Amino acid sequence: MLYLLTIIFLFYVNLIYTNAFKSILTNPLNAIKYKSSFILRNVPMELTGRLDPSKKWLVKFIFKGEDKEVEITESTSFLEIGEKIFKDVESSCRNGVCTTCSGQVVQGRENVQLAVSGLGVPQLEQGFICACQAFAVGPGVVVKLGTYDECYESQYGQYELSYELKNGAKKDIKQNKIFGF
């Protein structure tokens, strides 16, 4: 019964279109073979018809000081490739909302197509991206993966006490008081 409910749920969220999922349907133990990246849609709905899977681009990825150049198709997200070529690339929602997979386009921003992004305009202007929703559409792209902390600090840091203390702003800190009492 649980197996059947799982299949119905996965069908509902449109995940049956990948080869990995088809393999899992025939044998649930095949799920062990695949990383979590099999749940990504081939192309986000926002970019349907705007990416050409027959086009390939050489993209340089940087993660934890290691550089790798990989030829990728337009329909392959930076996160999908990052997970294949590096160990421990972080991600969570895979929908461009949580920013856990944040990366930064160091070069070639004009050749990167974004789908959905939970980032603000200032972060996008600094080159930050949600790697799960970013695709190369031209040459010369360099992407630094694993920039969640920098991205988070850029987007939310100014609202936190640590930001104020780090940047010398004075604030009356009342400790051990609940609800201001």
Side-chain angles (χ1 to χ4, degrees):
M1 181 66 176
L2 181 60
Y3 179 72
L4 180 60
L5 290 174
T6 302
I7 291 174
I8 292 170
F9 172 76
L10 292 175
F11 178 79
Y12 177 74
V13 292
N14 292 322
L15 300 179
I16 64 168
Y17 298 107
T18 64
N19 289 334
F21 185 77
K22 289 176 185 173
S23 175
I24 291 168
L25 278 179
T26 58
N27 181 1
L29 294 177
N30 286 339
I32 297 167
K33 294 180 188 176
Y34 297 97
K35 284 188 159 189
S36 59
S37 67
F38 82 88
I39 62 171
L40 286 173
R41 294 179 59 99
N42 287 341
V43 174
M45 291 187 334
E46 297 82 8
L47 297 179
T48 301
R50 294 172 57 192
L51 299 175
D52 184 351
S54 68
K55 290 185 179 176
K56 295 183 179 183
W57 306 104
L58 191 62
V59 177
K60 181 178 180 180
F61 290 90
I62 304 167
F63 183 65
K64 294 183 179 179
E66 188 178 353
D67 298 5
K68 292 187 179 182
E69 281 193 278
V70 181
E71 187 176 67
I72 65 172
T73 64
E74 280 191 10
S75 62
T76 305
S77 75
F78 294 157
L79 177 61
E80 287 180 276
I81 293 297
E83 289 178 327
K84 289 178 182 177
I85 63 173
F86 297 112
K87 186 178 179 184
D88 301 325
V89 173
E90 292 187 43
S91 67
S92 186
C93 77
R94 299 179 174 281
N95 290 303
V97 178
C98 72
T99 70
T100 303
C101 66
S102 293
Q104 189 170 23
V105 178
V106 178
Q107 186 177 326
R109 275 191 236 171
E110 67 280 0
N111 291 323
V112 174
Q113 178 68 56
L114 302 177
V116 176
S117 180
L119 301 173
V121 172
Q123 289 68 44
L124 294 171
E125 288 173 350
Q126 293 173 48
F128 288 110
I129 56 164
C130 291
C132 65
Q133 299 290 308
F135 301 82
V137 293
V141 176
V142 178
V143 179
K144 182 179 176 187
L145 297 174
T147 62
Y148 174 74
D149 290 336
E150 296 94 334
C151 183
Y152 183 89
E153 183 70 26
S154 171
Q155 189 158 4
Y156 302 111
Q158 70 267 21
Y159 304 113
E160 295 183 5
L161 179 61
S162 64
Y163 180 84
E164 293 172 357
L165 293 176
K166 182 168 58 174
N167 291 302
K170 295 183 180 182
K171 184 169 182 157
D172 183 22
I173 302 171
K174 297 180 181 179
Q175 294 183 0
N176 299 326
K177 293 194 175 189
I178 300 174
F179 302 112
F181 299 108

